[in-house]
């Protein structure tokens, strides 16, 4: 049974608050404000709603979760089985690209237990902190300044005179304390507070129990710089996973984005960039012997401008092959002029005889390699073709080694 607090949509799909009881006008206003604060890159406002673009992932606004799923075929937007399939594809691609670390959660568990990708994250975060609490939260040394009834550590003369002119019996000292109130715990506490604010009522008991374990930890406003300061050692290494999830929660959280009504958590990815990285990681992991695969090879093109093919493959004969990934549905054998010109330049610049424009497959077949006609290349090849690969096989996610073999065979 679908979760009433979860709406699943596909790329470029429209969502109106007049079409569903779950998506309200205040949700719409929160999304529009969030989008405006991010250069309007995530979706397009339309009458009474929004139209999603190339970004996929998950949004949580208060108690409502919206999953935006990739769409590589002409599927029925209302078909739940199709939504489950493409949710699994998205989760798999995010895993392979190390965008989320949910390798302990299978797609089956996700559907039965969590309902959404984001909810899986919430549950894992709480499980990680529970595990740390059972191990015993580690203590660290930290330096503090405070008034004492006896000299403890080092007397801070200037501040002692300033603060204790009347109270001669006190001493303003700087000294060390050994306790649980340090940056790592302050970050984990902030992560718990984010979950508490997101109206995750079914997790509230567990959240409150864990918040109690951090009652002596100072509340701070956490930003990206705090995570850069953390250096894990042997004693704090078990915190690594919890900190990774906390980083995602905190840095993607937007409190009170719509006039104090809704808190928002977003985890969004450009599908074009995700597809590009997914193909690279798959090829690099399952490459045949004698091949090297490199990613985003930027080089100077004109003055200060650079060019960057997505993937360059080199073999032991020092032959180069260029792959440029495109996450969109196209008619077979009909590349755009701009794409063909771009691949021609890649071939010249990287001394590649062959290049491929690689698209997700619906029903298309690969084209044959076509020749570029250029008078200075009469005795040398400069070719390009369209290639198509599917991430699915018989309704299930295609294994990485099979996908890699298919792509290398195209060369």
């Amino acid at each position: 049974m679908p979760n009433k607090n979860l709406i699943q949509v596909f790329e470029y799909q429209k969502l109106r608050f007049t079409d569903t009881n779950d998506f309200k006008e205040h949700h719409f206003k929160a999304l529009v404000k969030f989008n405006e604060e991010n250069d309007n890159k995530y979706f397009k406002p339309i009458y009474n709603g929004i139209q999603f673009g190339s970004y996929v992932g998950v949004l949580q606004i208060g108690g409502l979760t919206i999953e935006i799923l990739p769409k590589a075929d002409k599927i029925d937007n209302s078909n739940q089985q199709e939504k489950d399939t493409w949710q699994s594809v998205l989760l798999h691609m995010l895993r392979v690209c190390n965008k989320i670390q949910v390798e302990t959660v299978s797609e089956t568990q996700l559907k039965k237990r969590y309902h959404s990708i984001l909810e899986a994250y919430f549950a894992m975060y709480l499980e990680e902190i529970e595990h740390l609490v059972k191990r015993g939260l580690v203590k660290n040394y930290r330096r503090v300044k405070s008034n004492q009834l006896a000299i403890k550590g080092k007397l801070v003369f200037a501040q002692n005179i300033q603060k204790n002119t009347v109270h001669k019996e006190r001493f303003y000292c700087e000294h060390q304390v050994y306790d649980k109130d340090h940056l790592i715990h302050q970050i984990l506490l902030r992560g718990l507070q984010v979950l508490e604010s997101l109206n995750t009522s079914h997790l509230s008991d567990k959240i409150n129990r864990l918040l109690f374990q951090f009652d002596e930890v100072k509340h701070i406003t956490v930003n990206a710089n705090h995570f850069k300061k953390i250096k894990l050692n042997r004693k704090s290494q078990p915190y690594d996973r919890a900190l990774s999830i906390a980083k995602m929660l905190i840095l993607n959280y937007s409190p009170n984005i719509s006039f104090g009504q809704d808190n928002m958590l977003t985890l969004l990815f450009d599908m074009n960039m995700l597809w590009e990285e997914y193909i690279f990681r798959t090829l690099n992991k399952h490459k045949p012997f004698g091949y090297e695969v490199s990613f985003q090879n930027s080089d100077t093109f004109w003055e200060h401008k650079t060019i960057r093919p997505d993937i360059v493959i080199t073999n032991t004969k020092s032959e180069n092959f260029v792959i440029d990934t495109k996450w969109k549905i196209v008619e077979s054998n009909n590349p755009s002029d701009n794409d063909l010109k771009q691949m021609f330049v890649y071939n010249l610049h990287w001394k590649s005889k062959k290049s491929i424009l690689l698209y997700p497959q619906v029903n298309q077949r690969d084209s044959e390699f076509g020749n570029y006609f250029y008078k200075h290349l009469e005795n040398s090849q400069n070719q390009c073709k369209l290639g198509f690969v599917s991430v699915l096989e018989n309704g299930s996610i295609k294994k990485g080694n099979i996908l890699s073999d298919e792509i290398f065979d195209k060369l």
Side-chain angles (χ1 to χ4, degrees):
M1 180 182 296
N3 183 355
K4 68 177 182 178
N5 293 321
L6 171 66
I7 297 175
Q8 291 176 307
V9 296
F10 289 101
E11 295 174 272
Y12 301 102
Q13 187 176 334
K14 296 175 181 178
L15 179 63
R16 291 184 170 89
F17 58 81
T18 53
D19 296 337
T20 172
N21 292 327
D22 297 322
F23 184 55
K24 309 288 187 182
E25 186 173 1
H26 66 90
H27 295 135
F28 163 72
K29 289 180 178 179
L31 286 177
V32 169
K33 185 172 178 63
F34 165 75
N35 200 42
E36 288 175 348
E37 293 178 353
N38 288 275
D39 300 321
N40 295 302
K41 67 180 181 180
Y42 292 119
F43 36 76
K44 180 175 68 175
I46 58 174
Y47 181 66
N48 286 341
I50 57 175
Q51 181 175 13
F52 296 96
S54 63
Y55 280 83
V56 298
V58 62
L59 301 145
Q60 180 154 329
I61 321 166
L64 177 68
T65 301
I66 302 174
E67 275 190 357
I68 310 160
L69 304 174
K71 182 177 182 179
D73 53 16
K74 298 174 182 178
I75 55 182
D76 181 359
N77 289 342
S78 62
N79 188 311
Q80 189 58 48
Q81 184 176 351
E82 294 284 1
K83 290 178 179 179
D84 290 344
T85 297
W86 285 101
Q87 184 195 60
S88 298
V89 169
L90 176 58
L91 182 65
H92 172 71
M93 293 177 76
L94 292 174
R95 281 175 171 169
V96 170
C97 297
N98 294 325
K99 304 298 183 185
I100 58 174
Q101 299 175 347
V102 290
E103 60 275 1
T104 59
V105 181
S106 69
E107 283 80 5
T108 302
Q109 287 174 314
L110 180 70
K111 294 171 193 171
K112 290 183 178 179
R113 181 178 172 189
Y114 299 121
H115 304 295
S116 78
I117 294 171
L118 198 55
E119 197 170 315
Y121 247 119
F122 295 165
M124 283 187 297
Y125 185 60
L126 297 179
E127 287 170 6
E128 283 296 314
I129 295 183
E130 276 188 324
H131 177 67
L132 294 169
V133 168
K134 288 177 182 177
R135 286 174 58 100
L137 296 176
V138 299
K139 296 181 179 180
N140 279 347
Y141 284 104
R142 62 187 177 92
R143 302 196 69 82
V144 298
K145 295 179 180 179
S146 62
N147 264 322
Q148 302 289 325
L149 294 176
I151 293 180
K152 185 176 183 180
K154 181 177 66 174
L155 183 67
V156 184
F157 289 99
Q159 289 174 286
N160 184 62
I161 294 171
Q162 180 184 358
K163 294 178 179 294
N164 296 325
T165 303
V166 176
H167 298 282
K168 301 294 185 181
E169 77 283 3
R170 297 178 185 173
F171 303 91
Y172 196 82
C173 304
E174 182 180 14
H175 60 99
Q176 280 191 332
V177 295
Y178 184 64
D179 62 10
K180 300 174 184 177
D181 187 14
H182 50 81
L183 181 57
I184 291 177
H185 289 157
Q186 291 164 359
I187 288 174
L188 297 188
L189 171 60
R190 181 58 187 147
L192 288 171
Q193 291 169 335
V194 168
L195 291 192
E196 184 183 33
S197 71
L198 286 170
N199 195 24
T200 49
S201 55
H202 59 296
L203 298 172
S204 59
D205 287 344
K206 184 178 288 189
I207 293 171
N208 288 332
R209 287 200 305 272
L210 293 173
L211 283 170
F212 178 75
Q213 301 294 327
F214 292 80
D215 63 339
E216 297 178 2
V217 176
K218 182 169 63 178
H219 296 211
I220 65 170
T221 301
V222 178
N223 56 44
N225 289 327
H226 289 95
F227 290 95
K228 294 177 182 177
K229 294 177 183 178
I230 294 177
K231 306 294 182 187
L232 297 180
N233 53 32
R234 180 184 57 80
K235 189 169 66 171
S236 58
Q237 189 60 40
Y239 283 79
D240 185 41
R241 187 176 175 85
L243 286 169
S244 295
I245 303 175
K247 184 176 182 179
M248 184 279 293
L249 292 173
I250 295 167
L251 299 187
N252 290 285
Y253 174 66
S254 303
N256 303 323
I257 195 163
S258 182
F259 313 107
Q261 290 187 37
D262 293 304
N263 298 323
M264 182 180 293
L265 183 66
T266 61
L267 186 63
L268 298 172
F269 306 91
D270 187 329
M271 193 59 208
N272 292 294
M273 296 178 66
L274 187 63
W275 174 242
E276 174 186 328
E277 186 174 349
Y278 175 69
I279 294 298
F280 161 71
R281 289 183 180 273
T282 301
L283 292 176
N284 196 45
K285 182 176 181 180
H286 301 285
K287 62 193 174 189
F289 178 78
Y291 283 85
E292 293 297 326
V293 183
S294 56
F295 185 46
Q296 297 185 342
N297 297 261
S298 181
D299 201 359
T300 302
F301 174 58
W302 180 83
E303 295 294 339
H304 62 281
K305 294 184 180 293
T306 60
I307 55 173
R308 183 192 63 80
D310 295 340
I311 299 167
V312 176
I313 298 173
T314 306
N315 62 19
T316 52
K317 299 177 183 178
S318 297
E319 295 175 320
N320 291 333
F321 306 92
V322 174
I323 296 178
D324 209 59
T325 60
K326 306 286 184 183
W327 181 263
K328 60 182 179 181
I329 299 174
V330 298
E331 297 299 326
S332 184
N333 304 323
N334 191 27
S336 71
D337 288 348
N338 285 339
D339 286 342
L340 285 174
K341 291 172 182 177
Q342 183 182 45
M343 301 308 286
F344 174 75
V345 174
Y346 287 162
N347 281 352
L348 286 181
H349 201 82
W350 270 269
K351 298 180 174 60
S352 169
K353 293 183 178 181
K354 293 180 178 180
S355 57
I356 296 177
L357 288 159
L358 191 66
Y359 298 90
Q361 187 175 42
V362 182
N363 297 310
Q364 313 96 321
R365 293 186 178 180
D366 288 10
S367 69
E368 298 295 328
F369 274 107
N371 294 306
Y372 287 106
F373 293 97
Y374 185 56
K375 62 182 180 180
H376 297 297
L377 296 173
E378 292 177 357
N379 299 317
S380 179
Q381 283 184 323
N382 188 336
Q383 298 181 317
C384 180
K385 69 181 278 189
L386 274 70
F388 301 91
V389 290
S390 175
V391 295
L392 296 171
E393 188 171 49
N394 299 322
S396 299
I397 296 171
K398 187 177 292 181
K399 292 182 178 179
N401 61 318
I402 296 175
L403 181 61
S404 177
D405 288 346
E406 286 182 8
I407 296 172
F408 273 99
D409 286 344
K410 296 178 188 297
L411 299 173

